[in-house]
Amino acid sequence: MAIARTPHWVIDCPDPAALATFYAQLLDWETKVDDDGTWAEAWGEGGALNFQGIDDYRAPKWPTQEVPQQTHLDVFVDDLDTAEKATLALGATKHEVQPGKTFRVFLDPAGHPFCLCQA
C-alpha cells in the first residue's frame, strides 16, 4: 500500500498565472488561478502542475549550477520540429545548449529548463 498518492509538481516562479497558462497551452490543459494570484494550476489528461509565486525569484542558469535548475519537465512529442515551432510560439526560448538528438531543451517564460522528447 502506498504511503501517499497523486503527486503534483509545484514550481516556483515570478508569475503563476502566466506560467500555468503557458503549460496549459503546451499540453492542451485547463488552468485555475487563486484570487490573490500567488498560486495557479494547470491540469488535464495525465496529470497536473502547480505554480507558486516567489517574490525574489531567480531563474535557473542551466547547464551550470550557478542558480540550480530547481526542477525540469520532460514532455513527449510525436514530431520535434512541429512541436518546437508551436512551443516557441507560446513564448518558450530554445536553449543554446542542445546536448542530444532525441530531445530539445527549452526555457519556459520564467526560465525553467524543460525538454521536448521524441516519443
Side-chain angles (χ1 to χ4, degrees):
M1 184 167 128
I3 294 172
R5 65 184 185 281
T6 317
H8 289 248
W9 285 98
V10 177
I11 301 172
D12 292 348
C13 62
D15 185 343
L19 208 53
T21 298
F22 171 82
Y23 280 104
Q25 290 176 346
L26 180 71
L27 300 165
D28 195 25
W29 284 1
E30 303 293 324
T31 60
K32 177 184 173 190
V33 180
D34 282 1
D35 291 337
D36 65 4
T38 61
W39 184 270
E41 302 171 15
W43 76 94
E45 181 73 29
L49 298 170
N50 299 281
F51 304 92
Q52 175 176 266
I54 301 296
D55 288 334
D56 293 325
Y57 175 77
R58 291 180 25 189
K61 302 294 182 199
W62 185 87
T64 72
Q65 292 299 306
E66 179 184 334
V67 178
Q69 67 180 336
Q70 303 153 10
T71 190
H72 85 274
L73 300 171
D74 288 345
V75 295
F76 292 86
V77 300
D78 293 325
D79 181 272
L80 284 171
D81 293 332
T82 300
E84 176 177 324
K85 184 177 178 181
T87 299
L88 292 172
L90 292 176
T93 304
K94 187 174 182 180
H95 198 282
E96 62 204 35
V97 176
Q98 295 295 322
K101 300 228 182 267
T102 60
F103 65 95
R104 296 186 187 156
V105 182
F106 294 84
L107 303 176
D108 70 20
H112 297 108
F114 72 97
C115 297
L116 299 180
C117 302
Q118 183 69 50

